[in-house]
Amino acid sequence: MEEGNSVKKRGAIWAVLGAVFCSLSVILAAAGDHLVAGDVSHKALRIYDIANRFQFYQGVGLILLGLAVAQWGTRASWTWTGILMLIGLLCFSGGLYLVVLVGQGWAFLAPIGGMAMIFSWLLFAFSFWRSRSG
């Protein structure tokens, strides 16, 4: 029974991280509308919105990952999915936020984060495929 609680706790960690990043995306969306929009170009605001949208998507992905871990147990592929989702979120969304707020010097992070996001979702799909057979 102790092992089952440990698995549920691991799943809860991913889900909590996802919920925190989703809530932060709502806060950052409001900040973007009220604080950033008047100070940046239309193109920069579009970039900010893309960063915010993808932050929310990755947060939802982390919540789903937490539920998957709680349902099917821990696996290395689930752990790597979460790590890649976090790297993707931080590099892609974080990089784009920095581009808008600080300058183009941070643009190099976005493609790294984008690739991490792509690989995280592919690994997630693979992990689900594997979990269907137990």
Side-chain angles (χ1 to χ4, degrees):
M1 187 63 163
E2 186 65 34
E3 187 176 320
N5 287 335
S6 175
V7 168
K8 287 182 181 180
K9 285 180 184 176
R10 288 184 189 142
I13 290 169
W14 290 118
V16 167
L17 279 171
V20 167
F21 279 114
C22 285
S23 67
L24 286 174
S25 82
V26 174
I27 292 167
L28 290 171
D33 187 48
H34 297 291
L35 302 174
V36 177
D39 295 333
V40 299
S41 69
H42 179 71
K43 180 180 177 183
L45 188 59
R46 184 174 171 276
I47 292 169
Y48 188 95
D49 287 341
I50 291 168
N52 189 260
R53 187 171 358 121
F54 277 81
Q55 177 181 336
F56 192 84
Y57 296 158
Q58 292 304 107
V60 170
L62 288 167
I63 293 168
L64 293 173
L65 176 62
L67 295 173
V69 169
Q71 173 69 32
W72 290 293
T74 58
R75 293 186 175 170
S77 61
W78 294 126
T79 301
W80 279 107
T81 296
I83 290 168
L84 287 170
M85 281 187 175
L86 286 173
I87 290 169
L89 188 156
L90 295 172
C91 289
F92 183 81
S93 294
L96 291 181
Y97 287 134
L98 288 169
V99 164
V100 171
L101 299 173
V102 179
Q104 286 294 325
W106 294 97
F108 74 94
L109 289 173
I112 295 166
M115 291 302 295
M117 286 180 176
I118 291 166
F119 288 128
S120 75
W121 286 101
L122 289 172
L123 185 56
F124 205 8
F126 172 76
S127 299
F128 271 119
W129 182 260
R130 282 190 48 211
S131 68
R132 69 181 169 74
S133 61

